[in-house]
Amino acid sequence: MTVHEGLNFAGGEWTPGTSGVTFRRHNPADLGDLVGEFPESSAEDVEAAVSGAVEGAALWGAAPAEKRADVLEAAARWLEERADDLVVELVREEGKTRAEAAMEISRTPRNLRFYAAEAHRIEGRSYPAADGGIVYTRREPVGVVGAITPWNFPLNIPSRKIGPALAAGNAVVFKPSPVTPLLAQRLVEALLAGGLPPQAIALVHGGAEAGAALAADERVGAVTFTGSTAAGRAVHAAMGPSRRCQLEMGGKNPVVVLEDADLDRAAQIIAKGAFGLSGQACTGTSRVIAHEAVHDELLERVARAADAKAVGNGLEAGVDMGPLAAGFQLEKFLDYVRIGEDEGAELVTGGRRLEGDGYFVRPAVFEGVAPEMRIAREEIFGPVLAFQRASGLGEAVALANATEYGLSAGIVTRDLERALEFARRSRSGLVKVNQPTSGMAMTVPFGGLGESSTQTFKEQAGPSMMLFYTQEKSIYISPR
Ligand code: NAD
């Protein structure tokens, strides 16, 4: 298999980092398979990338909307033409299954097209003026936007940041996760192949140090971040009040199952939300709050679904759960299984590492999980599911809301009245009725409440996202 020699892209050129320090990324399903080696960018590298982007912002900000849209459209086509190869690279680098990778690869070009269309819809308003003049507003690009992203959707999440940022006429400095540097590089290649002026995009590989340097650079007018709550808080603290910051962070997403639910359907919905993407989705299901009348039957069905998961290398036929993406993910998974057992919850199934040269695990299901236990409160970001009991909707809502997070929450019921009551009372940015907590449409605003998001610009999808990437100016004109 090809070993990729990764490069940064700064000042309009592909370049190794200045320090010469690199990091290596291995296939999480086959640790002997080296995917590539990439620059570990220093603060100096980030500074150079931002300097280039300052020039790029002036250039790209002056480009007409048609040009901005054309570039995003062409980048989308580039990705589509290479979809088969990208699916394989995504499975190899991140550990998704082939089906999960194909879904991501098909969505990213659509996101770019969606934001290409938004480039044409940046508009202002006009107001009556007392002296017969005019008052109007215009939305202008912010300038340089920093995009700091996680590894679990290495194309899709960046495309929902870089797409709207470029559509609005900003230059972007992209700092992807060190877990998925290759796919990040592919997105930049797509944009350049699509005709983006090279100064309008920069790519800096590396970890927290590079991210922190990007957030601290005063020339970066806005940072859009997706990742853990701890790192998001650090980014926010570095930004100060005069620069924009958008954070999408962790979750501890519950599914409530009422006593009237079709339990087979409920188990399917829960298993998809909890074990899809190997439990590594921000909106993944990590808690089940089951009505006591159906708790035991539901638990049995969900445990069976967990046991039925065919865990393995995502490129192999029949596999429907890939490995965890990294060694730190495996450690966290095993730690939380131990914590759950130490706290007195009962491990019903799974929770152990599988043999093989990858980070393969069996999904874990716990029952008897009390609200104060850490496995009920803390984000694990892996396939660990905590079952709790409730005597009715009131108690279920209270348990569902007993979290500092507020990203996604679901309910399974045939009773529309109680479903709507749950939707009203849920303290969560996304509510799903008879659907998995994971999954969202690109056209619909998405963002969490509580510790899951900044409460300023939280739209991670949909047209309202454009507001983050443009700043509004009000202009007063008198006739003389
Ligand atoms: P992470 O917080 O470790 O890293 C995210 C990004 O931030 C990476 O690029 C990382 O290098 C960078 N970073 C880390 N520390 C930083 C710092 N101090 N300053 C600046 N940048 C820093 O998260 P991860 O492990 O890549 O991703 C998993 C997390 O992302 C989970 O918490 C998950 O819930 C969250 N997530 C949220 C959403 C959402 O939309 N809410 C979507 C996907 C993932």
Side-chain angles (χ1 to χ4, degrees):
M1 285 267 216
T2 314
V3 178
H4 297 274
E5 282 180 38
L7 292 169
N8 283 347
F9 190 77
E13 285 175 12
W14 291 103
T15 157
T18 50
S19 67
V21 181
T22 57
F23 67 91
R24 294 172 147 214
R25 176 62 187 158
H26 289 88
N27 179 345
D30 176 3
L31 301 180
D33 174 25
L34 178 63
V35 175
E37 191 160 352
F38 299 82
E40 182 68 62
S41 304
S42 62
E44 203 183 318
D45 294 318
V46 174
E47 204 201 328
V50 175
S51 297
V54 168
E55 284 177 31
L59 196 72
W60 186 239
E66 288 80 1
K67 170 73 180 162
R68 302 198 301 264
D70 285 352
V71 165
L72 293 174
E73 294 268 0
R77 281 197 299 280
W78 190 95
L79 291 168
E80 278 166 351
E81 281 159 18
R82 286 156 185 78
D84 292 347
D85 292 344
L86 290 170
V87 166
V88 174
E89 286 185 346
L90 180 51
V91 173
R92 184 181 176 211
E93 185 175 56
E94 193 212 318
K96 281 190 164 84
T97 64
R98 197 185 272 277
E100 290 164 349
M103 170 77 86
E104 174 162 5
I105 298 296
S106 70
R107 283 201 174 169
T108 300
R110 290 195 190 119
N111 289 339
L112 294 179
R113 287 209 173 88
F114 180 86
Y115 288 108
E118 287 301 316
H120 297 289
R121 297 195 188 104
I122 298 168
E123 40 190 41
R125 288 173 175 237
S126 67
Y127 300 83
D131 60 0
I134 184 172
V135 179
Y136 70 97
T137 60
R138 51 183 260 120
R139 302 203 68 90
E140 300 174 343
V142 174
V144 177
V145 169
I148 304 176
T149 55
W151 46 264
N152 66 328
F153 285 101
L155 278 180
N156 211 19
I157 289 177
S159 72
R160 297 199 324 248
K161 297 176 180 300
I162 297 173
L166 292 176
N170 299 284
V172 177
V173 180
F174 177 24
K175 208 303 283 168
S177 167
V179 177
T180 47
L182 176 61
L183 269 292
Q185 199 154 317
R186 295 290 183 244
L187 184 56
V188 173
E189 286 167 14
L191 291 163
L192 293 171
L196 184 68
Q199 298 87 339
I201 184 91
L203 170 69
V204 279
H205 288 295
E209 189 191 335
L214 183 56
D217 195 314
E218 296 285 338
R219 297 170 298 169
V220 177
V223 168
T224 172
F225 166 93
T226 300
S228 62
T229 296
R233 282 179 165 266
V235 168
H236 193 264
M239 296 290 293
S242 58
R243 295 186 296 135
R244 293 185 174 191
C245 183
Q246 176 195 52
L247 310 174
E248 286 304 332
M249 303 179 283
K252 191 71 194 171
N253 313 301
V255 170
V256 168
V257 180
L258 296 184
E259 72 281 15
D260 67 346
D262 171 340
L263 295 185
D264 287 330
R265 180 79 191 112
Q268 262 175 16
I269 287 169
I270 291 164
K272 177 143 197 247
F275 312 133
L277 300 161
S278 309
Q280 303 173 127
C282 57
T283 49
T285 306
S286 58
R287 297 182 287 148
V288 174
I289 299 157
H291 190 283
E292 56 199 8
V294 294
H295 175 281
D296 293 355
E297 270 185 82
L298 179 69
L299 176 63
E300 196 188 314
R301 283 170 166 79
V302 172
R304 229 184 295 137
D307 292 342
K309 280 278 154 199
V311 180
N313 186 325
L315 286 180
E316 281 166 22
V319 165
D320 63 1
M321 185 171 128
L324 298 179
F328 65 84
Q329 282 292 99
L330 174 70
E331 273 169 39
K332 188 145 54 97
F333 171 86
L334 295 173
D335 274 356
Y336 272 102
V337 170
R338 185 184 42 75
I339 288 166
E341 289 186 300
D342 289 352
E343 286 180 316
E346 189 188 328
L347 182 61
V348 179
T349 191
R352 62 193 165 78
R353 185 176 186 179
L354 291 176
E355 305 242 316
D357 197 18
Y359 301 125
F360 302 113
V361 299
R362 292 253 35 118
V365 180
F366 278 99
E367 73 161 316
V369 178
E372 63 281 4
M373 289 182 185
R374 287 179 62 191
I375 59 166
R377 289 186 292 113
E378 297 175 12
E379 184 185 49
I380 301 172
F381 210 59
V384 179
L385 191 57
F387 262 73
Q388 300 177 293
R389 285 172 195 267
S391 56
L393 182 61
E395 192 187 0
V397 171
L399 282 170
N401 287 345
T403 170
E404 61 186 11
Y405 295 107
L407 195 53
S408 183
I411 187 164
V412 186
T413 177
R414 295 185 237 222
D415 179 344
L416 186 58
E417 194 177 342
R418 286 192 294 170
L420 290 176
E421 182 180 342
F422 179 77
R424 271 195 313 276
R425 293 173 63 190
S426 175
R427 208 182 56 82
S428 173
L430 194 66
V431 177
K432 296 288 203 71
V433 176
N434 298 324
Q435 290 183 22
T437 51
S438 54
M440 50 175 277
M442 74 181 163
T443 48
V444 181
F446 164 74
L449 302 181
E451 292 291 313
S452 294
S453 169
T454 27
Q455 302 308 318
T456 46
F457 294 95
K458 67 188 185 67
E459 296 86 358
Q460 276 279 304
S464 47
M465 189 114 142
M466 295 300 286
L467 298 179
F468 179 71
Y469 298 100
T470 52
Q471 50 202 14
E472 196 169 40
K473 186 181 277 175
S474 304
I475 296 144
Y476 290 69
I477 300 178
S478 284
R480 61 192 162 79

